[in-house]
Amino acid sequence: HWTMLGVSLLNCLLSTACSVGLALAFALTVHSRGTHLVRGCNSSALPLDARAAIATNDCPFNTTRIYDTALALWFPSLLLAAAEAVLSGRCCLVALVFQGIGPCARSYGKEQV
């Protein structure tokens, strides 16, 4: 039970950190309209809006759909990381109940007897 408690707590913390990081990246990308996504391209031909970016030889990747693709991948990842954090938190609570710690542990113990 202690291993389950430790692993679920660690996973809950890591998933929460991942969710916060993805939410921050998502918000900053939307706020800057994707200009940070094409920052590695040293071309003056690239417009300030990443949605209107064109593919040039000065950029190491295709910039035509970088904004939409990043948001389309980050949003489901954010939802899945948040769900993982919630489920890990519930697993942590179950481990606490099994150890007899917490408010639900006493009623669980009485039901078992």
Side-chain angles (χ1 to χ4, degrees):
H1 299 292
W2 287 108
T3 304
M4 185 172 84
L5 177 65
V7 170
S8 62
L9 184 62
L10 179 66
N11 192 37
C12 184
L13 292 174
L14 289 175
S15 298
T16 303
C18 185
S19 297
V20 169
L22 281 168
L24 184 63
F26 193 86
L28 289 175
T29 300
V30 169
H31 179 68
S32 70
R33 299 182 62 173
T35 56
H36 298 295
L37 295 174
V38 292
R39 184 173 282 171
C41 302
N42 296 325
S43 174
S44 59
L46 290 173
L48 293 177
D49 188 3
R51 298 190 84 173
I54 55 172
T56 64
N57 291 334
D58 296 337
C59 196
F61 54 87
N62 185 359
T63 60
T64 54
R65 294 191 178 104
I66 188 76
Y67 182 79
D68 296 329
T69 303
L71 296 183
L73 291 174
W74 286 346
F75 188 70
S77 297
L78 173 63
L79 293 178
L80 290 173
E84 183 180 1
V86 168
L87 291 174
S88 295
R90 289 181 59 134
C91 186
C92 184
L93 288 176
V94 167
L96 286 172
V97 167
F98 283 161
Q99 291 298 327
I101 303 169
C104 300
R106 293 186 184 136
S107 63
Y108 178 76
K110 289 178 185 175
E111 290 174 9
Q112 283 290 82
V113 172

